[in-house]
Amino acid sequence: MTIQRTELSRRRLLGLGLGLGAATTLGLAGCGDDDTEGGAAAGDGGKTYTGPKVSLNLWNGFTGGDGDIFKKLVDQFNTEHANIAITVATYRWEDYYAKLPGAVTSGNGPDIAVMHMDQLATFAARKVIQPVDDVASALELSEADFAPTVWQGGLYQDKRYGIPLDMHPVGFYYNKTLMERAGLDPNKPPTNRSEVEQALAAMKGKGIQGFWMSPFQFTGGMTGYSLVYQFGGSLYNEDATKATFNSPEAVEAVDWCARLVTGGHSPANVGQDADYLALKSGKNAFNVNGIWQINDLKKSPDVQWGVAAMPQIGSRKSVWANSHNFTIVQQPRGADANKVAGAKVFINWLSQHSLDWAAGGQVPARRAVLDDPKFQALTEVNTLAAELPDAAFPPAAPGIGDVTLLFYTAFNEAVLGKKSPKQALDDGVAKADKLLEDNRKKYGS
């Protein structure tokens, strides 16, 4: 698989609701340990399982290098648990989210599903996944075990639907060779607005366009998303009933990104992935991109690069991020208590083994793993772990991924110069408010 193909499949990962808006709303009966086939389960909420052998299907979208690591962890689990057999099915994320509702309705869905935080509310409202409060309770998990933003992101209507596995933020990648050519210290990337702008001026003086701004969500839109929050704005109001990404703060943030183009620091109309490829080829000095690029860059020893936390361009620190969560899927014919018990054991086991998962380019969600010296030895990933308290996650509202797409569309129009930042964001908010209203009617909340 080429780098571009891998990253394009991964970049749909972040809960954009692709195909979900047209999916049939599900009306599955709620299921849990009280609605089971085969009597009480031989388990204790995820700590152990002593019942008959169960076979569980697990769906995920790990199509890149992280998929190989995930499968190795599943193989290890299967070796250690003779009475639980996990079978993994991997799909591209956009296909996965479109396929899941229909598969569950027909009884052909998985038992366990990996899901992004910004999809939990949508699939909970559709009754595709079931609450897992009992898992958290039995395993004695609480907010103290995780970063608060990650832990709270698994809640919808005061019920827990996801057990967090990781957090994947964007980071600030820099080409050391270009920095050195501009007379900058290649080991001291800029950390704030003044330093970024001074560095860009120095590079422009050497004929270098230092910060290519992609008009696409990946990754210019994610830069703009981060800066909206850094400048003191937000995409939505507190209860996600109104879009607010046309506030003066949001306009200022998007305008800063657009002026990288008009100021000569970025080519116009940067193609998808061109910003990242230009960083690798020595044409672009700075690129905000996902943590998942770390392992790809390690495959290019000729590229002199580094990664740092997102510079603070605005008045506060903030960064775009998402999180993978484990969920237990509803079963239209009622849950098999033994399968549910086995699923809980797997979720607990992999959460505890998230240090191994970190090697795939993810920040573990559990605090205990973050403090492990072995994780701290993963220098680049550990660097971006410092962003965890500053993660700006979307609200837990059904269909929010579809609404957030409208911000990325507005961002695209502003960076391409099709509209002024204010006009683009005003137009986007008008559409977003209508979609938020439609979602409230559609999902009953």
Side-chain angles (χ1 to χ4, degrees), residues 53-69:
K53 184 170 184 176
V54 290
S55 297
L56 305 175
N57 292 319
L58 184 155
W59 285 16
N60 72 92
F62 300 131
T63 57
D66 50 4
D68 294 334
I69 292 174

Side-chain angles (χ1 to χ4, degrees), residues 98-170:
K99 181 183 179 69
L100 184 59
V104 173
T105 302
S106 65
N108 296 312
D111 301 289
I112 309 168
V114 179
M115 196 167 289
H116 292 91
M117 181 188 291
D118 57 355
Q119 291 291 352
L120 292 175
T122 301
F123 283 96
R126 291 183 179 276
K127 300 190 186 301
V128 174
I129 56 177
Q130 66 181 40
V132 290
D133 298 274
D134 59 331
V135 180
S137 178
L139 300 177
E140 300 178 348
L141 298 177
S142 69
E143 185 174 304
D145 298 305
F146 300 88
T149 48
V150 175
W151 183 248
Q152 292 297 323
L155 297 173
Y156 172 63
Q157 294 187 342
D158 298 323
K159 292 183 179 180
R160 174 157 301 282
Y161 285 89
I163 302 296
L165 173 63
D166 62 41
M167 189 273 279
H168 39 272
V170 291

Side-chain angles (χ1 to χ4, degrees), residues 199-212:
L200 290 177
M203 284 186 278
K204 188 176 181 180
K206 296 293 185 180
I208 302 168
Q209 290 181 305
F211 197 157
W212 289 30

